[in-house]
Amino acid sequence: MLPAEPTAETHLAVTAPADGHPASGDPAGPGTRPATLRPHAGPNGGDGGEAGEDASRDGRTDGHGESSGDAHGEDTMDLRLPDEFFASIEEAATGFGGSTSGESSDGAHHWLSPSDHATFRPAIDDLLDGIAGWGPVRTPVGAFHLVPVRLERDLRLISRWMNDPAAAAFWELSGPQSVTEGHIRAQLTGDGRSVPCIGVLDGRPMSYWEIYRADLDPLARFYPARPHDTGLHLLLGEIPDRGRGLGGLLLRAVADLVLTQRPSCARVIAEPDIRNTPSIAAFLTAGFRLSVEIDLPGKTGALMIRDRSLRHVL
């Protein structure tokens, strides 16, 4: 999204948040925030008038670029998967990498508790292909899982991360919890074009992510967007996780996860501030290429792109 830059970590172009999306994690710091164009509509900004939105609103498309019905308006078959199917998904997710809960200085956080069972049901009709059902992936540093944010569970932790001076400089979400809450709630109550997530590494909540439809974001006005371009923003929350290459490793893992789970997506993008050298370095390490510099509201962004066709080369 177009907003500002997050922290020492870079921001996928999915890099800029709605207000300038935070850049995703960079090895040297917490993360970078997006440019000042907020991608999602909501209390925090963003005019919500991105490319492709009108078609989705009037029913011509289903959010994935597919027709929502045939020429005759026939009803489609209502297919219900058996409970055993969802149970097997939950078992795989909770059994991956050990513990299903993590602890932070804020206390215990049960990221994959039984009450979250519904989140494992794949939402095949949403704009981002059911992030909640993507499950964990193996990385060189452990099992990593993107868990959609729940304000009642995660707000205090995320707000604490946003008040770290390194993060505040890019995300501009420091201050009382209400500031962070407004930014996240705008996404949770929007049309689903941006999904805020907690990054859980081996059961430990350690990063904040925003996965968004760059082609439906105000960012699309500033670069030649393609259908289903997906953007990323990353903030490494804990200081010990910064500056040791973790941002680049996780950016690669999440970008590849997006390309695997979203067959219609050919590119993952980010737009960290051109001055954020560590963030750009993290994206390059993660297999992104520097495409071009783009003038965004409030910053000059480095358009970083990870192409599906080059994912096994870079």
Side-chain angles (χ1 to χ4, degrees):
M1 311 178 156
L2 277 188
E5 292 241 317
T7 70
E9 286 298 7
T10 69
H11 204 141
L12 296 182
V14 103
T15 74
D19 56 339
H21 284 329
S24 10
D26 152 303
T32 55
R33 172 179 188 137
T36 336
L37 281 186
R38 293 196 178 254
H40 8 270
N44 279 352
D47 59 4
E50 293 77 24
E53 178 176 344
D54 292 339
S56 295
R57 283 183 174 176
D58 66 11
R60 295 196 301 272
T61 64
D62 64 0
H64 295 286
E66 300 295 333
S67 171
S68 56
D70 63 309
H72 305 292
E74 295 180 356
D75 293 334
T76 56
M77 179 175 66
D78 183 11
L79 176 63
R80 183 181 184 282
L81 296 174
D83 292 339
E84 290 76 8
F85 173 77
F86 299 110
S88 65
I89 295 178
E90 181 171 4
E91 179 181 358
T94 57
F96 195 108
S99 173
T100 60
S101 65
E103 297 220 355
S104 73
S105 59
D106 288 340
H109 291 266
H110 302 288
W111 303 101
L112 301 177
S113 66
S115 63
D116 289 331
H117 179 75
T119 65
F120 292 97
R121 294 177 181 267
I124 58 175
D125 58 347
D126 70 15
L127 294 176
L128 283 161
D129 300 297
I131 290 177
W134 288 3
V137 293
R138 294 189 184 281
T139 75
V141 290
F144 184 77
H145 198 157
L146 285 175
V147 181
V149 167
R150 282 172 33 197
L151 282 174
E152 68 277 12
R153 178 192 64 194
D154 307 326
L155 178 58
R156 183 170 62 166
L157 178 63
I158 299 173
S159 180
R160 176 170 67 78
W161 289 344
M162 293 299 180
N163 275 280
D164 179 288
F170 292 107
W171 288 79
E172 300 176 358
L173 292 175
S174 59
Q177 285 189 10
S178 58
V179 176
T180 297
E181 179 179 6
H183 176 77
I184 295 175
R185 191 178 295 279
Q187 298 172 71
L188 297 178
T189 60
D191 60 7
R193 77 184 66 182
S194 180
V195 178
C197 296
I198 291 290
V200 182
L201 182 61
D202 279 343
R204 178 175 63 91
M206 46 73 67
S207 54
Y208 172 72
W209 298 74
E210 290 173 352
I211 314 299
Y212 69 97
R213 284 285 297 273
D215 61 324
L216 302 181
D217 190 85
L219 175 65
R221 302 170 187 163
F222 298 85
Y223 84 103
R226 296 179 186 174
H228 294 280
D229 275 356
T230 304
L232 311 177
H233 300 151
L234 162 63
L235 167 65
L236 290 184
E238 305 297 339
I239 294 176
D241 290 327
R242 304 171 192 167
R244 56 190 186 94
L246 190 57
L249 287 173
L250 295 182
L251 284 175
R252 178 182 291 273
V254 171
D256 285 346
L257 181 62
V258 169
L259 294 173
T260 297
Q261 297 293 339
R262 304 203 65 233
S264 55
C265 171
R267 308 187 303 177
V268 178
I269 66 168
E271 23 69 35
D273 192 305
I274 194 65
R275 299 167 297 177
N276 193 333
T277 304
S279 176
I280 294 173
F283 279 107
L284 292 173
T285 298
F288 285 73
R289 59 184 174 84
L290 174 57
S291 174
V292 68
E293 294 182 16
I294 50 178
D295 291 326
L296 303 173
K299 77 173 185 182
T300 297
L303 182 63
M304 309 299 298
I305 299 176
R306 180 155 176 74
D307 304 274
R308 177 183 294 279
S309 60
L310 299 177
R311 64 185 295 194
H312 298 304
V313 178
L314 296 177

